[in-house]
Structures are given as C-alpha cells and as structure tokens.
Amino acid sequence: MPDIFKAEKVTTHQDHHAKQEKPHHKIKPKEGKAVGSFLQHTKSGHALSSFYYFPENVNFETKESEEKIILLLRKHFITNVPWIFVLSLMIVAPLLLTFFPVLSFLPESFEKLAILGWYLITTAYFLESFLTWFFNVNIITDERIVDIDFYNLIYKEVSDTTIERVQDVTYKMGGVIRTVFNYGDVLIQTAAEVPEFEFEAVPKPDRVVSILQQMRIEEEQEKIEGRVR
Amino acid sequence: MEVSSFLGTTFFSILKAFALFGFGLYILFALVVIRQVQLMTRTLEVGLEWLVKLISIGHLVFAVFVFILAVIAL
C-alpha cells in the first residue's frame, strides 16, 4: 500500500500519560477487613468506664477470633448515685442505735450479731448493685451489636445483630441531669429477630450514633468492594 | 418468776434458732453469688475479674464467720 494511506503514529499527551500510569489491576477481595478505618484507633477509657472506646483485654462469650470490639458501653456512672446513697445510709444506720436503742431489749450478743447481720445485708446490696451495673453492657464490634443483660441472680440475656441489619438509629436525651452529665438512650431498629436494641442511659449518645453510622457506611463499602467476611 | 424466766429462755432459744437458720440461708445466698459471678465473668471479661471474684469470696467468708460467731456467742 502506498505510504500516503498509512497514518503516522502521533504520540499525544494522553497517550504519554497513559504509558506512565501503572497498569490497572483488579481489586481482589481482602481477607479480613479494615477495622473501623474511618474511626480513630485511639483507646479511651478503662475497665470501669461507661464509655470504653477500643477497649483492651475485653472479651465476651460469643466473640469470634477475628472480631474487633469498637465500643463497650454501660449505664453512665451517675446512675449509681441512688444506690450509693442508700448504701452509705445503710453503713451508718447502726450508729443510730446509740441514740435510738431499739435493740436494747436483746442481750448484748444478740445485739452485736444483729448489727453483723445488718452489714451482711449491706454487703449483699452493694454486690448486687455493683454487679448489675458492671456486667450489663452493650458492645459494638466491627461486625455486630451485642447487648448483654443480667436481670437477676440466675437469668441472663445476650442479644446480637449484625451491623448491616441496623435500619434506624435514634438517640434521646432529656432532663436536667441527663443534659448536664451528657447521657441518654440510644434506640436501634433492626431487621433481625430482635427488632429493637436499647442502650439505656449511655454516655455521649451522639458519639455512639456517630460510631454506628460510620460502621454502617463501612459495611456498605465492604459489600461494594467484596470484602465481606 | 420461774415461768417468766423459762419463757425468756425459750424465747431467746427460738430467736437463736431463727438467727442460725437465717445466717445459714445467707451462706447459701453467698454461694449463689459466687456462682453468679462465675457466670458473669465467663460471659464478659474486662480485666477486673480477679477483683470481682475476690469480693464475692470475701463475702462468703464474712457470711461463714458470722454464722460461726452466732453458733458460739448466742
């Protein structure tokens, strides 16, 4: 063919730029997942905290080996004030016997044992109140929301749902005490068998909602990228 | 006088029996609390399990101590 029909190859700026780009590769699904990639991995809190962000040395019964705990929540510490007040009254109550000797009809040995018995009951009251506050927790992991409730001595309830089943998240904060100490209720509507999770009297409910929202965004991102575990 | 003394002695004997029964029941309650703590720490571990278990065992020891004291002193 005559040379006039052959087009000279002209290198354009776009072609030059294309050659300099790295070859495009298919995004492979990653094993595992980026845990809370939108979230700051800064631990905040301790074992007695009501708001423990990225807690260390925390484990629960149904936790998977690769699952990462993002947030551990309990009722705000201020909710313990009523029983602490009652407890302090119970501790000092026997001192009133010096002013109001209601047990004076009993022999001294009976009186002392009655006081010891009173302190036994006081110890039981403290134990039950503290254990109820300490072990009733709400946990947000990178995969699930877990609600652990101990209703009494021998009855516990553990509920969980995956983040992707969360449909609506609402928080309520009202009243002087709750506003001053910044705690409230977070209600989570799910598409699971347990239709609603309620985090009662948790600190920083706005922050909890924000974290849940970020987890939901990350779940959506993982679905799109094919990084679902 | 003898009757009132007898009634007084009987009354305190019954009171002692009730007290021992009550403290004995309380020991059972303390054992249930230890079991409850075991279940709780198995469900959730936050790093303070040793303290909670220590308090629950201390509670049982206190209950046993009061029971023994009641047996001796009453």
Side-chain angles (χ1 to χ4, degrees):
Chain A
M1 184 180 288
D3 289 343
I4 58 171
F5 294 105
K6 287 182 186 175
E8 282 182 15
K9 187 160 177 67
V10 177
T11 306
T12 63
H13 177 69
Q14 282 176 345
D15 291 336
H16 181 69
H17 185 67
K19 282 178 186 174
Q20 285 187 331
E21 271 183 357
K22 290 179 182 176
H24 178 74
H25 59 272
K26 189 176 177 183
I27 296 171
K28 295 176 189 174
K30 293 179 190 176
E31 287 184 8
K33 60 188 291 181
V35 175
S37 57
F38 297 114
L39 308 171
Q40 292 178 0
H41 291 221
T42 310
K43 177 200 140 188
S44 163
H46 50 80
L48 288 173
S49 293
S50 298
F51 187 100
Y52 197 179
Y53 192 52
F54 278 101
E56 292 173 353
N57 303 321
V58 172
N59 202 358
F60 58 94
E61 214 170 23
T62 56
K63 180 176 171 290
E64 294 171 12
S65 54
E66 292 177 356
E67 201 169 0
K68 179 82 177 166
I69 298 175
I70 307 294
L71 188 61
L72 177 82
L73 291 165
R74 295 190 180 94
K75 286 187 177 179
H76 195 287
F77 191 82
I78 204 73
T79 58
N80 295 322
V81 167
W83 69 259
I84 291 173
F85 178 70
V86 171
L87 182 73
S88 53
L89 287 179
M90 289 175 80
I91 289 170
V92 301
L95 295 175
L96 293 174
L97 289 174
T98 54
F99 303 103
F100 304 101
V102 293
L103 297 177
S104 57
F105 69 97
L106 291 172
E108 197 181 329
S109 56
F110 276 90
E111 206 173 318
K112 287 195 166 94
L113 272 160
I115 293 170
L116 278 175
W118 174 260
Y119 280 119
L120 270 179
I121 294 167
T122 305
T123 311
Y125 179 70
F126 159 72
L127 259 178
E128 286 305 304
S129 304
F130 174 74
L131 291 175
T132 302
W133 172 77
F134 188 74
F135 283 104
N136 282 1
V137 297
N138 304 298
I139 296 171
I140 299 173
T141 74
D142 56 342
E143 289 290 334
R144 295 184 285 166
I145 298 167
V146 183
D147 186 7
I148 300 174
D149 289 314
F150 289 91
Y151 291 108
N152 55 41
L153 285 179
I154 50 173
Y155 184 76
K156 74 175 180 187
E157 192 173 281
V158 181
S159 312
D160 75 82
T161 188
T162 53
I163 300 278
E164 61 189 10
R165 286 189 178 172
V166 171
Q167 292 182 326
D168 290 312
V169 181
T170 313
Y171 80 88
K172 299 187 290 186
M173 193 163 75
V176 175
I177 306 289
R178 289 187 170 216
T179 307
V180 167
F181 291 99
N182 192 23
Y183 70 95
D185 303 330
V186 177
L187 289 128
I188 302 165
Q189 300 272 355
T190 71
E193 196 174 312
V194 178
E196 191 176 85
F197 283 73
E198 188 171 1
F199 297 177
E200 289 183 13
V202 294
K204 305 175 202 170
D206 54 333
R207 184 85 178 102
V208 174
V209 169
S210 167
I211 289 168
L212 275 170
Q213 178 64 11
Q214 288 171 341
M215 296 308 300
R216 287 163 75 193
I217 290 169
E218 194 156 307
E219 280 291 316
E220 289 294 325
Q221 196 106 20
E222 284 170 8
K223 262 191 208 172
I224 293 165
E225 293 177 3
R227 285 192 288 125
V228 177
R229 191 164 59 206
Chain B
M1 288 289 285
E2 287 181 3
V3 171
S4 62
S5 167
F6 172 73
L7 282 173
T9 309
T10 309
F11 170 73
F12 287 117
S13 299
I14 293 169
L15 199 61
K16 177 177 177 177
F18 270 114
L20 289 175
F21 178 72
F23 289 133
L25 269 184
Y26 195 90
I27 290 174
L28 291 176
F29 169 74
L31 288 167
V32 172
V33 167
I34 287 179
R35 179 66 183 148
Q36 180 192 19
V37 166
Q38 270 181 354
L39 285 172
M40 285 174 159
T41 52
R42 198 187 303 163
T43 306
L44 177 71
E45 296 170 13
V46 289
L48 283 182
E49 289 74 48
W50 64 272
L51 181 63
V52 176
K53 284 177 182 172
L54 192 67
I55 293 172
S56 64
I57 291 169
H59 174 241
L60 174 68
V61 168
F62 185 29
V64 171
F65 167 74
V66 172
F67 179 79
I68 293 170
L69 206 62
V71 169
I72 296 169
L74 291 183

